[in-house]
Structure formats: C-alpha cells, structure tokens
Amino acid sequence: FSATGIVGASLPVALGYAYAFAMEKRDDVAVALTGDGGSNNGSFHETLNMAAAWRLPLLVVIENNDYAISVPAAAVTSPVSLADRAAAYGARGMQADGRDVEAVDRAMGGAFDHVRGGQGPCIVELACHRFRGHYEGDADTYRPREERERMKREGDPILLARERLIAEGVTAPELDAAQKSEADDIAGILAAVRGERQPDAAGALDHVFVQEVAR
C-alpha cells in the first residue's frame, strides 16, 4: 500500500512490486489505483511501457469520474477510452460500469486471470462518480450542486446494489443488518489501527542511503 499527494505516484510503486513478484516467481498481482487525471501523467505511460516490455503482473485500475481534481476530463483528455491506451503497449484494456458491483466483479476477475496467466499488464477503466471534493477541505465549487445531487441519486453503487437485491427478493431489514454488521467491523478495524504505536522516528532514514564501504 502507498499513499501520496502526488498524482499518479502510486503507479511506479506498484510497478516495483510487480517486478519483485516476477523475480520471486510468485503468483501475486500488483494493483495500482489511479484516476482519469493520473492517467495523463508521464508516470502512467512509463509504468505501462516497462510492465508490458517485461510482461510484469501489474493491474492498473483507472477510476474515471470525469474530473482531474477540479478540471473536467473533457478539457484535458483526448476523447478516447482510457482503456484503449493499453493497445499502445501491447497490454489488455477493459471497461466496466464502476457503479455496478457485479460488473466490476466480472471485469476484475477477467483482469486477474489475464495478468496471472503471464500475459502482461492489464488496464481496467471504471466509470464512476465522485460525490465529494477531491480532498478534505475541498469546497467543490467547480461543480454545480445539481450535478452532485444527480450523481448521488443515479450513481451510488451501494444504493444501486440494494435496489437490485430487493428486486431479487432480499428484504430491507436483512440488508440493513448486513450493512450495520459491515460498518461495525470497519469501525473495529479503524479503532485497532488508530491504537497502534507510531513507528520510531529514529529509524526514518533506515534503508534510504547506502553507506560506502571503506576499501
């Protein structure tokens, strides 16, 4: 896992993991998450080029919510599918409705099969919405309030999945109980993580520099 404020910076980190998995002949797959804005960064292209050239087990998931922070994607991205970029590297590109839980499950399953099969990297582009600002404190004034409200009504994956399950015969109380159970589990995990001791600052520079050995 990695978190950084630099757009697209998680891609080369995942590439490094994919390279390690290949060197160690493991069955693991490195998964890099980025957005439509991150897919325009140089790190995206460099990562895909190297992963494809060396047929590394890398899966790049693009959450395409049509906004690169505050900039509409249409203003800065050529009007083509982001998944279509995979062809330039000899990789596989796939698209799915990111609002549809089952569609995402099918797409990701196919992507993992492709990558684990030794066929090189794969890009999965998921069309979705972002209901809030890009970061905590983002007032999100660059989008009309009506647009955000429409996204919530039409594109919330949890609400859409709930409607589908109810139509298939699952009762609302059953879904409420399942949602509460999951929320309680997540709250417990969060409490455990927050209770962990912080790492010792004295080791911040460990494994960062190479000390020259005197000859």
Side-chain angles (χ1 to χ4, degrees):
F1 298 99
S2 72
T4 171
I6 306 301
V7 176
S10 64
L11 295 164
V13 175
L15 175 68
Y17 276 96
Y19 181 61
F21 297 155
M23 292 288 289
E24 296 172 358
K25 301 187 185 308
R26 293 166 55 176
D27 191 38
D28 300 61
V29 173
V31 181
L33 296 176
T34 191
D36 45 284
S39 70
N40 287 338
N41 277 32
S43 58
F44 174 89
H45 303 283
E46 294 169 24
T47 293
L48 263 297
N49 179 67
M50 185 172 291
W54 294 349
R55 303 182 77 81
L56 300 179
L58 177 69
L59 172 55
V60 176
V61 179
I62 302 175
E63 297 177 340
N64 189 348
N65 57 36
D66 290 326
Y67 276 90
I69 304 180
S70 61
V71 180
V76 294
T77 303
S78 179
V80 296
S81 159
L82 299 178
D84 287 347
R85 295 180 178 182
Y89 307 103
R92 183 181 183 186
M94 306 169 63
Q95 288 179 299
D97 185 348
R99 303 165 301 178
D100 185 330
V101 175
E102 294 182 8
V104 173
D105 178 66
R106 289 191 297 270
M108 294 298 288
F112 274 107
D113 288 344
H114 173 88
V115 176
R116 281 207 172 99
Q119 302 177 71
C122 182
I123 295 175
V124 178
E125 178 186 0
L126 302 176
C128 58
H129 296 308
R130 169 161 58 84
F131 305 141
R132 302 174 59 190
H134 180 73
Y135 53 87
E136 293 298 326
D138 179 3
D140 199 1
T141 57
Y142 41 85
R143 299 187 297 180
R145 181 184 298 274
E146 295 76 14
E147 181 181 355
R148 295 199 302 272
E149 293 303 319
R150 178 187 60 79
M151 288 178 178
K152 293 178 182 178
R153 289 194 308 271
E154 301 176 2
D156 187 328
I158 295 177
L159 294 181
L160 293 175
R162 181 184 179 91
E163 291 173 1
R164 175 180 294 174
L165 289 170
I166 288 177
E168 293 175 355
V170 182
T171 67
E174 288 176 310
L175 292 174
D176 291 340
Q179 187 167 352
K180 183 181 185 306
S181 174
E182 294 299 322
D184 290 343
D185 286 347
I186 292 172
I189 294 171
L190 183 59
V193 170
R194 286 176 170 168
E196 290 284 339
R197 287 188 352 176
Q198 291 294 315
D200 187 352
L205 299 182
D206 290 351
H207 313 297
V208 175
F209 301 101
V210 175
Q211 184 175 359
E212 183 176 355
V213 178
R215 296 184 180 180

